[in-house]
């Protein structure tokens, strides 16, 4: 209680003087610039968008994680056990796999803490459940507002872990890689459609173009046959599946076929739109799979560029988990989170290389027991009897 009073006094004394947002936004709240439903639809229905997100997410969290502590703290082992047990009980690895995709695609992910003052569980709220965020004019979050479909509830900020990646211009929401692909742009007095809309319209036209121009129109001429026989021939020919229109006629006629004007070249325009989509995806994956002549050196350089973004995302997620999950767990157990210094590390811990002379020497000095010695030898492949 006393700590809460001190915190409120500090907030009053250290209150910022500059406003972060207009007063009307503080009253009515702020909505995401791109609907979360649009992000989900792009991820599920556009193969390139799904490939962008999955590639980066798998690189970020697919390696797994482990925790470490500062063993100079006498209760560090206890702190590590508390954190590891909690990670296993809530399946933190699975939560990170889901959130990584949301963060990369939409720039946001929302976890609810159960309960804030005694953390026992975590769950991911659906992106589409958050309709707006209300803040004061200084940018401090007052509440998260859920959409009417989810009950229209307001959630206090201390219950939410908000993964907000790359916020722009003081926005309360983050910016994912799909936003530039979904964002429309005002050009003069007109609004330019988004790049995903352009790509979708081109893809919608492709089947129509293919069906229209896959084969030439045909003219079948049977001179001298009767109209009845001609009608029979016509039914027979039309019953045969074949692309293109078919005509039956018993008089001389000119054959007219529809051809695409060879002077019309769309290749450069198509490549521009596709390249813009690939640039928005911020991953070399599509180019590696679809571009002929993409050399090994080019592929290696592209992957090195993507690796920098992966490292940045890993650091971003790591810091939030340590601050919002690990530290509260240790503190509510009555331990010193700062001294325990529990850290999330990506990948698999490196096991020290052990050779037999070192093991024998450790056993002679009684640093390890005979049972531990035999267990280690078995792990090294020795066939030891019980």
């Amino acid at each position: 209680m006393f700590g809460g009073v001190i915190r409120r006094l500090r907030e009053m004394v250290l209150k910022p003087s500059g406003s972060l947002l207009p007063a009307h936004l503080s009253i009515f709240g702020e909505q995401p610039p791109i609907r979360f439903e649009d992000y989900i639809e792009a991820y599920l229905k556009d193969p390139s968008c799904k490939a962008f997100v999955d590639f980066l997410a798998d690189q970020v969290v697919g390696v797994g994680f482990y925790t470490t502590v500062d063993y100079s703290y006498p209760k560090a082992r206890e702190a590590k056990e508390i954190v590891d047990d909690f990670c296993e009980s809530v399946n933190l690895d699975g939560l990170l796999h889901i959130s990584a995709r949301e963060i990369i695609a939409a720039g946001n992910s929302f976890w609810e803490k159960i309960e804030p003052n005694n953390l026992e569980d975590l769950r991911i709220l659906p992106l589409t459940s958050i309709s707006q965020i209300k803040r004061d004019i200084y940018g401090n979050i007052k509440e998260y507002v859920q959409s009417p479909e989810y009950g229209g509830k307001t959630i206090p900020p201390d219950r939410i872990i908000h993964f907000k990646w790359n916020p722009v211009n003081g926005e309360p929401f983050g910016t994912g890689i799909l936003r530039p692909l979904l964002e429309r742009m005002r050009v003069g007095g007109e609004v330019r459609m988004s790049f995903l809309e352009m790509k979708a319209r081109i893809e919608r036209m492709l089947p129509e173009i293919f069906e229209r121009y896959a084969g030439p129109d045909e003219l079948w001429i049977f001179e001298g046959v009767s109209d009845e026989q001609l009608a029979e021939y016509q039914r027979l020919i039309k019953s045969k599946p074949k692309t293109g229109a078919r005509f039956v006629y018993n008089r001389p006629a000119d054959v007219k076929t529809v051809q695409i004007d060879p002077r019309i070249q769309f290749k450069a325009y198509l490549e521009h739109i596709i390249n813009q989509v690939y640039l928005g995806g911020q991953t070399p994956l599509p180019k590696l799979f679809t571009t002929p002549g993409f050399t090994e050196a080019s592929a290696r350089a592209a992957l090195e560029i993507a690796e920098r973004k992966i490292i940045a995302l890993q650091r971003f997620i790591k810091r939030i988990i340590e601050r919002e999950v690990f530290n509260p767990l240790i503190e509510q157990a009555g331990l010193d989170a700062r001294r325990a210094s529990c850290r999330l590390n990506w990948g698999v811990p490196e096991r020290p290389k052990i050779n037999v002379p070192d093991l024998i020497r450790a056993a002679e000095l009684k640093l390890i027991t005979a049972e531990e010695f035999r267990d280690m030898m078995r792990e090294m492949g020795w066939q030891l009897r019980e």
Side-chain angles (χ1 to χ4, degrees):
M1 179 178 179
F2 182 72
V5 173
I6 295 297
R7 184 168 59 253
R8 285 193 293 272
L9 288 174
R10 283 176 58 84
E11 290 174 355
M12 293 176 62
V13 173
L14 301 177
K15 180 182 292 186
S17 58
S19 298
L20 190 66
L21 70 160
H24 73 279
L25 292 179
S26 175
I27 297 172
F28 298 106
E30 301 165 87
Q31 297 178 344
I34 300 293
R35 298 189 320 147
F36 289 134
E37 290 86 351
D38 294 338
Y39 286 113
I40 294 173
E41 184 174 22
Y43 174 77
L44 293 177
K45 297 182 180 180
D46 189 287
S48 57
C49 289
K50 189 175 187 302
F52 299 149
V53 174
D54 286 348
F55 173 80
L56 289 173
D58 290 340
Q59 292 296 310
V60 171
V61 298
V63 293
F65 73 92
Y66 63 97
T67 60
T68 57
V69 292
D70 184 356
Y71 283 103
S72 64
Y73 176 49
K75 297 185 177 181
R77 191 177 301 277
E78 181 182 351
K80 178 173 169 57
E81 290 178 356
I82 291 171
V83 170
D84 289 346
D85 289 344
F86 180 83
C87 291
E88 184 177 357
S89 67
V90 302
N91 186 20
L92 187 65
D93 186 62
L95 296 179
L96 290 175
H97 273 270
I98 297 172
S99 279
R101 282 162 171 77
E102 294 181 345
I103 295 166
I104 292 167
N108 298 271
S109 186
F110 303 93
W111 292 14
E112 184 178 10
K113 293 186 283 189
I114 308 171
E115 293 285 329
N117 299 323
N118 184 27
L119 188 58
E120 297 179 357
D121 197 5
L122 293 169
R123 65 173 182 172
I124 299 179
L125 296 177
L127 278 177
T128 54
S129 72
I130 302 298
S131 62
Q132 58 178 288
I133 295 176
K134 289 188 176 181
R135 302 185 291 172
D136 61 25
I137 60 173
Y138 303 109
N140 301 310
I141 295 178
K142 297 187 292 185
E143 58 189 15
Y144 293 86
V145 182
Q146 291 195 291
S147 59
E149 293 82 359
Y150 290 85
K153 299 177 181 179
T154 58
I155 306 175
D158 63 342
R159 293 191 68 94
I160 296 295
I161 300 176
H162 183 185
F163 293 83
K164 182 174 62 175
W165 170 255
N166 190 25
V168 177
N169 196 33
E171 293 178 348
F173 296 94
T175 300
I177 65 170
L178 299 186
R179 178 175 175 178
L181 302 179
L182 289 165
E183 191 85 64
R184 295 182 176 183
M185 183 176 179
R186 183 169 294 279
V187 182
E190 299 180 355
V191 177
R192 185 213 70 191
M193 69 177 65
S194 71
F195 280 102
L196 279 186
E197 286 180 290
M198 298 180 196
K199 179 172 173 287
R201 291 186 65 176
I202 291 171
E203 291 170 339
R204 187 194 65 191
M205 297 175 188
L206 290 179
E208 298 176 1
I209 295 173
F210 180 81
E211 291 176 0
R212 180 68 182 85
Y213 299 106
D217 293 344
E218 297 176 352
L219 177 65
W220 293 59
I221 302 175
F222 298 93
E223 292 191 31
V225 301
S226 65
D227 292 341
E228 292 78 8
Q229 188 65 46
L230 182 65
E232 180 64 27
Y233 289 161
Q234 188 174 29
R235 284 193 296 271
L236 178 62
I237 293 171
K238 287 187 174 182
S239 66
K240 303 297 182 182
K242 190 176 185 298
T243 303
R246 292 177 295 278
F247 305 95
V248 178
Y249 198 54
N250 62 349
R251 299 288 187 274
D254 293 333
V255 177
K256 303 292 185 181
T257 58
V258 180
Q259 301 289 341
I260 299 178
D261 190 339
R263 295 172 298 177
I264 301 176
Q265 297 294 331
F266 296 105
K267 183 178 179 180
Y269 303 104
L270 292 174
E271 287 183 351
H272 173 73
I273 299 301
I274 298 302
N275 285 335
Q276 292 300 309
V277 173
Y278 287 170
L279 285 173
Q282 301 183 45
T283 169
L285 178 67
K287 284 291 185 182
L288 292 177
F289 289 160
T290 61
T291 304
F294 209 69
T295 65
E296 182 180 353
S298 300
R300 190 181 301 111
L303 290 173
E304 288 175 357
I305 294 172
E307 187 176 358
R308 296 186 181 95
K309 187 169 194 68
I310 291 164
I311 293 172
L313 283 163
Q314 287 179 329
R315 189 186 306 116
F316 167 75
I317 295 173
K318 163 188 169 72
R319 295 306 182 198
I320 293 179
I321 295 297
E322 291 172 352
R323 184 179 66 248
E324 300 289 345
V325 179
F326 290 178
N327 289 350
L329 284 171
I330 295 172
E331 290 173 355
Q332 72 188 27
L335 306 179
D336 191 333
R338 183 184 61 82
R339 293 184 62 190
S341 187
C342 187
R343 295 287 180 256
L344 182 148
N345 305 277
W346 300 105
V348 179
E350 294 184 3
R351 300 185 62 179
K353 294 182 179 180
I354 303 175
N355 52 50
V356 175
D358 290 338
L359 282 178
I360 294 174
R361 183 59 178 163
E364 290 174 349
L365 296 174
K366 297 185 178 180
L367 298 176
I368 58 176
T369 65
E371 183 180 354
E372 290 172 334
F373 175 80
R374 291 173 64 85
D375 288 341
M376 293 179 186
M377 298 300 287
R378 287 193 188 94
E379 289 183 3
M380 296 175 66
W382 286 49
Q383 299 296 323
L384 300 179
R385 295 182 179 179
E386 295 295 337

